[in-house]
Amino acid sequence: MDNKQITLNIDKVFNFVSGEQIFSQANRAQEANFRLENGNGKGNDFLGWLHLPSSIDNSTIYDIQKTADLLRSKCEIVVVIGIGGSYLGAKAVIEALSGAFDSLAENRPLIVYAGHNIGEDYLYELSTFLAGKSFGIINISKSGTTTEPALAFRILKKQLEEAVGKEDARNRIVAITDAARGALRTLAGKEGYKTFVIPDNVGGRFSVLTPVGLLPIAVAGIDIKSFIDGAVFMEKATGKDIAFENNPAAIYAVTRNLLYQQGKKTEILANFNPKFHYVSEWWKQLYGESEGKEHKGIFPASVDFTTDLHSMGQWIQEGERTVFETVISVANPKYHVEVPKDEEDLDGLNYLSGKRVDYVNKMAELGTQIAHVDGGVPNIRIELPELNEYYVGALLYFFERACGISGYILDVNPFDQPGVEAYKKNMFALLKKPGYENIKI
Ligand code: PA5
């Protein structure tokens, strides 16, 4: 790997918070990072993610790759079942690193998702699509009791067993769950499925570097070793011994908290490459579930530019001045496409002929940044040298570390999610689930 790395640029927040203000918070950020590393902060029984990149051993990587290769050889389609932290990391990486039209091409296996909603039509359509095709299932649930994936698995397991028989179905199903607890662990043991463990001390939204993310990513044909290498680099680059001014995660965490204190209550993660759409979805869960508690926390929103400049762009430019933007940019595209010259020039685009499409995109990005900053929207910019496994691994770990630091600066427990239980209690009572008879709604 060359020396190019992800860079963080906060120049365009200085009209809103000064460099001095940011530096005045250096000790606070360092202290938060120390608490993460020393394990003496809130939620310290969920810090297993912190050193995941550097602690993944070769035998685990080998086992994941071998299992992925087996699924790849047996299946045209692999259904990844999971919700929230049990699917978004894999989906984010797979979408970021796959060709835009791979699903229409003959690339195999095709990865599809289930268990992330309770749409009856979705399940019907998926089931119909799978009929007559050779498919396998990766069933992911840490608790092993989540309703959405459990429902999807029950339906698809039956379909698979009816299609290929119980014995072959067993070889096409992999379960990723808790080491000892939960219905999925029991079922996997009884059926003899290949299993991987989600460590006790890693929460769902921080699990992309466990088999939860790595197995589906490997099945998609993505180089997990390089993905992990990028995360290892960022683990070192954001460690507690790195000075504040050199630690991008600490600077990002401080900057966003200072903006929040100034009334910038919403952070919009923007990209100029549609492949980042699900990275944004993953990021929204990471920050929303980690920080939105005790009636505080920045609201994480996202847009895909330039697409959403033709819709949400109006709001961002002239709506309520309570937002700031964090833009993910890629310095160099993978491919080269130039604007062709046209003799008639009826569309008036000849002034761009010979220019790369990415040049047009970069000018859109710069023009947007200037307009939004002028319009009162502070701008943080994260640049990846290229869109590849290594930099995506580094990017996701960067956001995880920054989230831990940011949550501690905000003085919440970034590693729990008590609020997600409220709807479940009501739903179970309404569904008359045994044990919920006495819940009053
Ligand atoms: O981040 C989280 O903890 C959640 O999003 C969970 O991952 C999600 O609710 C799925 O839970 P489980 O893996 O237990 O099915």
Side-chain angles (χ1 to χ4, degrees):
M1 183 51 57
D2 53 39
N3 288 328
K4 289 188 293 219
Q5 286 302 340
I6 291 182
T7 53
L8 173 78
N9 189 325
I10 56 165
D11 289 358
K12 297 290 182 283
V13 306
F14 292 148
N15 288 349
F16 308 88
V17 290
S18 67
E20 290 72 41
Q21 280 174 296
I22 290 169
F23 269 92
S24 74
Q25 299 296 310
N27 286 344
R28 206 154 164 214
Q30 290 298 76
E31 199 218 319
N33 209 10
F34 266 80
R35 264 185 284 153
L36 286 176
E37 298 250 9
N38 296 339
N40 56 1
K42 290 179 182 176
N44 55 4
D45 41 354
F46 281 97
L47 291 171
W49 58 272
L50 201 62
H51 296 298
L52 265 181
S54 59
S55 60
I56 300 171
D57 56 86
N58 282 337
S59 64
T60 307
I61 297 176
Y62 177 77
D63 194 12
I64 291 171
Q65 194 61 60
K66 206 175 76 185
T67 308
D69 290 345
L70 194 73
L71 285 171
R72 284 170 66 82
S73 69
K74 275 176 140 343
C75 310
E76 286 175 80
I77 300 168
V78 171
V79 187
V80 175
I81 297 182
I83 193 165
S86 288
Y87 100 105
L88 275 171
K91 177 131 181 161
V93 176
I94 292 168
E95 298 277 317
L97 296 173
S98 303
F101 301 99
D102 277 1
S103 58
L104 302 178
E106 284 308 296
N107 287 13
R108 289 290 181 262
L110 175 68
I111 311 275
V112 298
Y113 300 86
H116 56 304
N117 60 52
I118 322 181
E120 184 163 336
D121 290 348
Y122 183 90
L123 275 169
Y124 176 87
E125 285 161 12
L126 174 59
S127 181
T128 307
F129 176 63
L130 294 172
K133 299 195 177 78
S134 167
F135 72 97
I137 299 172
I138 302 175
N139 189 17
I140 309 172
S141 178
K142 186 176 183 198
S143 63
T145 54
T146 307
T147 310
E148 291 90 336
L151 257 176
F153 184 60
R154 181 181 279 218
I155 290 166
L156 296 178
K157 171 181 184 279
K158 183 167 176 283
Q159 178 171 355
L160 184 58
E161 287 176 349
E162 284 170 3
V164 299
K166 264 191 151 248
E167 196 48 46
D168 194 13
R170 236 175 243 139
N171 298 325
R172 292 162 176 263
I173 296 175
V174 180
I176 308 180
T177 188
D178 184 88
R181 287 181 300 267
L184 180 54
R185 170 57 59 189
T186 312
L187 183 68
K190 190 170 158 286
E191 298 280 4
Y193 299 149
K194 167 74 183 163
T195 61
F196 288 95
V197 169
I198 310 176
D200 261 354
N201 60 357
V202 179
R205 60 191 175 275
F206 288 88
S207 69
V208 65
L209 285 143
T210 72
V212 170
L214 296 176
L215 180 63
I217 292 168
V219 172
I222 291 164
D223 176 0
I224 53 171
K225 186 78 185 61
S226 178
F227 174 67
I228 295 166
D229 285 347
V232 170
F233 171 84
M234 194 54 83
E235 181 189 322
K236 291 200 187 104
T238 57
K240 68 174 178 184
D241 298 327
I242 305 295
F244 175 75
E245 60 273 24
N246 297 325
N247 186 333
I251 295 172
Y252 174 59
V254 162
T255 305
R256 62 197 296 284
N257 273 285
L258 284 172
L259 291 167
Y260 177 59
Q261 284 159 25
Q262 298 221 344
K264 303 293 186 190
K265 304 280 187 193
T266 298
E267 178 175 7
I268 303 174
L269 190 70
N271 64 70
F272 281 80
N273 182 329
K275 288 176 191 261
F276 281 101
H277 180 83
Y278 275 93
V279 169
S280 298
E281 296 303 311
W282 171 87
W283 172 89
K284 284 193 282 194
Q285 180 192 1
L286 183 66
Y287 281 81
E289 214 172 16
S290 299
E291 296 196 312
K293 48 198 71 160
E294 299 174 30
H295 295 177
K296 37 187 189 179
I298 296 168
F299 182 81
S302 66
V303 287
D304 300 322
F305 287 159
T306 61
T307 312
D308 291 332
L309 285 171
H310 298 258
S311 54
M312 293 305 291
Q314 171 60 37
W315 196 102
I316 297 169
Q317 189 68 47
E318 294 184 347
E320 202 181 12
R321 301 296 72 191
T322 50
V323 299
F324 67 98
E325 252 173 355
T326 296
V327 176
I328 301 177
S329 182
V330 179
N332 296 300
K334 192 166 166 188
Y335 304 109
H336 188 117
V337 181
E338 282 178 12
V339 180
K341 192 168 168 49
D342 185 276
E343 287 313 321
E344 293 192 77
D345 195 28
L346 293 177
D347 54 13
L349 282 180
N350 269 357
Y351 78 104
L352 291 175
S353 70
K355 297 273 193 302
R356 290 182 67 173
V357 171
D358 190 59
Y359 167 76
V360 182
N361 201 26
K362 289 291 189 303
M363 292 308 107
E365 184 183 327
L366 183 58
T368 304
Q369 184 191 57
I370 295 166
H372 287 181
V373 173
D374 284 350
V377 179
N379 182 288
I380 297 171
R381 189 166 180 276
I382 297 166
E383 187 179 277
L384 277 62
E386 291 162 39
L387 183 49
N388 63 22
E389 284 88 340
Y390 182 88
Y391 295 121
V392 171
L395 180 72
L396 297 198
Y397 186 87
F398 159 80
F399 278 133
E400 289 184 351
R401 173 75 76 148
C403 185
I405 298 173
S406 182
Y408 280 170
I409 291 175
L410 188 66
D411 196 22
V412 295
N413 175 355
F415 308 114
D416 67 0
Q417 53 283 329
V420 301
E421 296 309 315
Y423 95 92
K424 290 184 192 167
K425 197 168 57 123
N426 293 341
M427 176 179 78
F428 291 146
L430 292 164
L431 288 169
K432 303 193 176 20
K433 181 174 176 170
Y436 289 78
E437 298 83 354
N438 296 327
I439 307 281
K440 294 272 168 295
I441 302 185

